[in-house]
Amino acid sequence: MFKNFAEILKINIKDKNISEEIIYLCKHSLFLKNYILKFPESLLKVKPLLGKTRDKQTIFADLSQTDYLKFTPQQFCSFLRHKKMEEYIIIAYNDIIKNIDVSETTFHLSSFACAILELTYKFAYNQLKNNFGTPRNNAGDEVPFAIIGLGKLGGEELNFSSDIDIIYVYGTEKGFTDGKKKISNHEFFVKLGEKIFHYLSDRDEIGIVFRVDLRLRPDGEKGPLALPLRSYEIYYETYGQSWERMMLLKANPVAGNIDFGYQFLETVKPFVFRRTLDTKLINDLIEIKNKIQRRVDLKSKNEKNVKLGFGGIREIEFIVQALQILNYPKHPDIFHRNTLKALEKLTEKKLLNENDSKTLTNAYKFLRKLEHMTQIENELQTHTIPENSTTFHLYLERCGFNTKEEFESRYNEITSSVNRIFSKLLENKDYDETAVLFDEELDIEDITFYLKSKNIKKPEKCAKIIKQIIRGNRYTPRQKDEKKLLKLFFKTIIPNLYQYENPDEILNFYEKLFLRRSNLYLIYDLGLESPHFLQKLTNLFAMSKHLSEIALNNPNTLEFLYDPISPDYTVEKILSLLKDTINKKNIDEELEYELLRLKQKEYIFNIGYLYLNKNINIVQAMYSLTNIARAFTILAFERSFKKLTEKYGSPITKNKNISDYLVVGLGKLGSFEISFGSDLDLIILYEDNGFTDGPKKITNREFFSKLVQKAIHYLSTMTYNGYLYKVDMRLRPSGSSGTLVTTIKSFDEYHKKESMTWEKQALLRADVINEQSSLTQLFFSIKNRILFTKEVKINQLQEIYDMRMRIEKEKGSPYNKNDFKAGYGGLIDIEFIAQSFQLKYGYTSELLKGTNTHYILHFLKDLGFITNRNFYALHNSYLFLRHIENLTRVYQNLSTSKLPNDNNLLAQIGHFFGYKKDAHEKIISDFQSVRKTVRGAFNRLFAELLKE
């Protein structure tokens, strides 16, 4: 390779010293070497210019010798790329071989960029002018246009691989082009900006000319590409932020109408430099400093970052810019957009002491040199010292160091001295650590490192979600006020995430919640009411997927986090509230359904939240859930009854009275054991047969059958907000094959003659839901007569035992299915024992005629029917299994009777029981132990019951 390279140099340079210098240069710059190998004739062009630092005018004059306006766009882009590489050979030669001052290198790079921008502007403008004519204002004058350089370009401080930060400004949007095909001035200049961007960013095998960054314009990426001068003035006066003030310190007209560019600077000057200082400005500067400090903490983690790291370039720039802004009102002549020249001015005015000024000047030059020497090898946009690179020895060589130790010592000395000065400036205010998450210059890796440093689990997943929360919906990016609220929320949310095993799930819920702008303000208002609100919300998102989804779909439920409603819901109170909800004018049936479903979820959410936080126990939770279900059931039947009577009239008995009816709850609804997600077991009885008294007569049986169907529809219909309850009527006389409704007399006759033992068991848990019915007392007298006039026979108890074994075999097996309801030692064991004792001894005490398993167990112990040993075995196991059932449902909304296989869910359940370590293993162990305990008591007690 070097033999060929030497031949190229011999042909094109014909100067031994320069040839050796070019070989040395290319040893340190692979991207220039590769270019020279492909285009050796470039050496002939640059040879006379080696060692010269060129300004914009000189470079532009050189470029303009070519008749570039006749190029096609493709030819023009190729021309620019070649000119860039030729100029970079000159600049790199001056830097590495001649070791010129860093200020000359940055000036040369910036001058070239400005010349290229001017050339590109003229080429693009000429193209558009040919197509659309010249843009003119209403007076007929040509509208001026300027490219404003920002950042390092504006300060004449470009690197070898810098982006160029620019914005476009033009005179006025009022007017049109004067060509045959007219377009508005705004459209013309946006097209102009697009073409400039495209020509500079176009890539081929050589590379690109410049990476162009236009995101510093008003409103960033979502703002117009080009704006008239007046729009900039209004934007900065109204919305300008302190970071934009510091950004504009380096603003410099670099191409286009330069005089108009200076007019732009004069227009924004009142925004950049305040006449007087106020607290807000100083606080903003402090926040910017803190932001830089947070970057330092991250960028110095595993690497030496000369720009953003400890004691880096960004710290020096902040010192200079902050001092300019703070002191400009008294010393307007201290301003200069170039960092080194600004340091001189600050020192002249004694706003920076000579020692600190000298320290910062030397540090700036040293760090910029390191930065250039990093980028010159492969023209990569990096600010990191390549300590782990295989070519690090070459890096040290071109930076002027013999050993790594020598470099380390100098680097640490320089950066420490910079950071000392930086730390002293505006040092009297603490900063919010989590604000680092909003720094757009930090990537996922940086945020991940920050989260790791806070011991937050799954940091990479969390970092991506956090970025997405801050970014917002791709169609509606975050507004400034939204980010301000998010910053406020994150101060509470992020520092506490280390406590949780599932921080990614928590943040996912927050992402969904914060998607809606209105929710941000709701959370803010609720947070004002309760300082601990956000912590409670985080706990909720950590605890329960089911309740979290309710909250996301109905944010009004979040009010219960800071103001939970008393769990002592009575049916009457809930029913009254429900009627208040729907008894409003202009509420149609569809809206009624939606409002009720939202209201139900509010009640369920409140109970679930209280239960998970152990403000209520499992028995209280089931009692409250049952009362909620009963209230909705009554409402469904009342509303349906009213609509049917409007159509058919009232159902009339043979005795000419209005036929009353009963809604009887069975299973969990009857026994006050409704769990989260339970179905409702119902049977409907009516007073007597007959006909309705409306114009369209139907039989009472038809009427009440329709009543059941409408009520089921009312409860079960799926809408946008879900459904209320699923209804099961298979426990009615004759089961699924029986009629939907029956008279209370037929119900009595059926149980006298035909009902089986299992139906008597079901009847034990039967309770009237609509207690105001005139048939209530009659029903209880029938129930009492059927169940509690005498003890059952042993063969019926044996039947119950056999049925239990059959259920276990058919539904609860195999053992490792871990069915906590039908399986070995499950809830059915406990329920069947309680029911068997009720059927045998219920006639002896009113206490044993209740429907609730929990209380029946207590009464059996109190009355001496079961021993303390058996009571505690059944009672404690009953509570444990009910917890398992409800926690499974409230955590993940799983309607199952099996112990979950998900270790994370089992761990959550274990944490509820107080386990810290190996929670999922301990809960499995407890479950197996409970099963054996329950089955042991079951066997002992059935052995007693089946004795002759």
Side-chain angles (χ1 to χ4, degrees), residues 71-79 81 123 199 202:
F71 285 159
T72 66
Q74 187 176 1
Q75 290 170 332
F76 180 72
C77 291
S78 178
F79 170 72
R81 286 189 289 268
F123 180 80
Y199 295 150
D202 188 58

Side-chain angles (χ1 to χ4, degrees), residues 910-938:
H911 294 321
F912 180 88
F913 282 97
Y915 298 135
K916 303 292 184 186
K917 294 182 179 178
D918 305 320
H920 73 282
E921 294 177 1
K922 289 180 179 176
I923 210 67
I924 292 172
S925 174
D926 281 358
F927 177 67
Q928 302 303 346
S929 176
V930 162
R931 299 176 81 179
K932 292 173 184 175
T933 299
V934 169
R935 183 48 62 90
F938 176 87

Side-chain angles (χ1 to χ4, degrees), residues 580-646:
D580 288 342
T581 299
I582 60 176
N583 287 339
K584 298 175 183 177
K585 292 180 179 179
N586 302 320
I587 294 285
D588 60 18
E589 186 174 65
E590 184 178 346
L591 182 54
E592 179 176 329
Y593 277 33
E594 298 297 354
L595 289 174
L596 289 175
R597 280 149 180 75
L598 287 172
K599 188 60 69 176
Q600 186 232 26
K601 284 178 169 53
E602 289 178 15
Y603 293 139
I604 300 296
F605 179 90
N606 186 48
I607 295 302
Y609 184 73
L610 290 169
Y611 167 56
L612 289 180
N613 283 282
K614 301 182 181 177
N615 298 118
I616 58 174
N617 61 39
I618 185 62
V619 175
Q620 290 171 309
M622 291 190 295
Y623 184 82
S624 294
L625 290 171
T626 303
N627 279 344
I628 294 167
R630 288 183 173 213
F632 276 97
T633 302
I634 292 170
L635 183 69
F637 276 91
E638 285 186 358
R639 299 289 285 179
S640 300
F641 188 88
K642 182 181 178 183
K643 289 183 179 180
L644 284 172
T645 56
E646 289 171 358

Side-chain angles (χ1 to χ4, degrees), residues 2-67:
F2 273 100
K3 182 180 179 182
N4 293 334
F5 199 64
E7 290 174 2
I8 289 170
L9 295 174
K10 184 178 180 181
I11 294 168
N12 291 282
I13 295 295
K14 298 178 182 178
D15 183 314
K16 184 178 180 182
N17 290 334
I18 295 179
S19 295
E20 289 177 355
E21 288 171 344
I22 295 294
I23 289 173
Y24 183 81
L25 169 65
C26 291
K27 181 176 79 168
H28 287 278
S29 181
L30 296 179
F31 85 98
L32 290 178
K33 174 183 167 183
N34 290 334
Y35 180 77
I36 292 170
L37 284 170
K38 286 183 181 178
F39 305 98
E41 65 276 10
S42 61
L43 292 174
L44 283 173
K45 299 177 184 178
V46 304
K47 180 181 175 184
L49 303 174
L50 296 175
K52 296 181 180 179
T53 299
R54 311 210 301 161
D55 60 19
K56 174 186 173 181
Q57 288 71 28
T58 305
I59 297 169
F60 182 75
D62 184 21
L63 293 171
S64 299
Q65 290 178 14
T66 304
D67 194 1

Side-chain angles (χ1 to χ4, degrees), residues 507-523:
L507 289 171
N508 266 323
F509 281 123
Y510 272 117
E511 181 188 354
K512 292 173 185 175
L513 180 67
F514 292 152
L515 271 178
R516 290 175 60 182
R517 180 183 172 91
S518 59
N519 286 346
L520 289 170
Y521 292 97
L522 173 65
I523 301 303

Side-chain angles (χ1 to χ4, degrees), residues 92 116 118 122 140 158 188 276 410-411 423 444 494-495 499 565 607 640 740 776 828 889 900 936:
I116 286 290
E118 183 68 32
K122 289 183 179 299
L158 277 189
F188 180 92
T276 57
R410 180 66 176 148
Y411 183 85
S423 298
I444 293 293
I494 303 301
Q499 306 172 56
I565 295 175
I607 295 302
S640 300
L740 271 181
T776 299
I828 291 181
R889 294 182 177 189

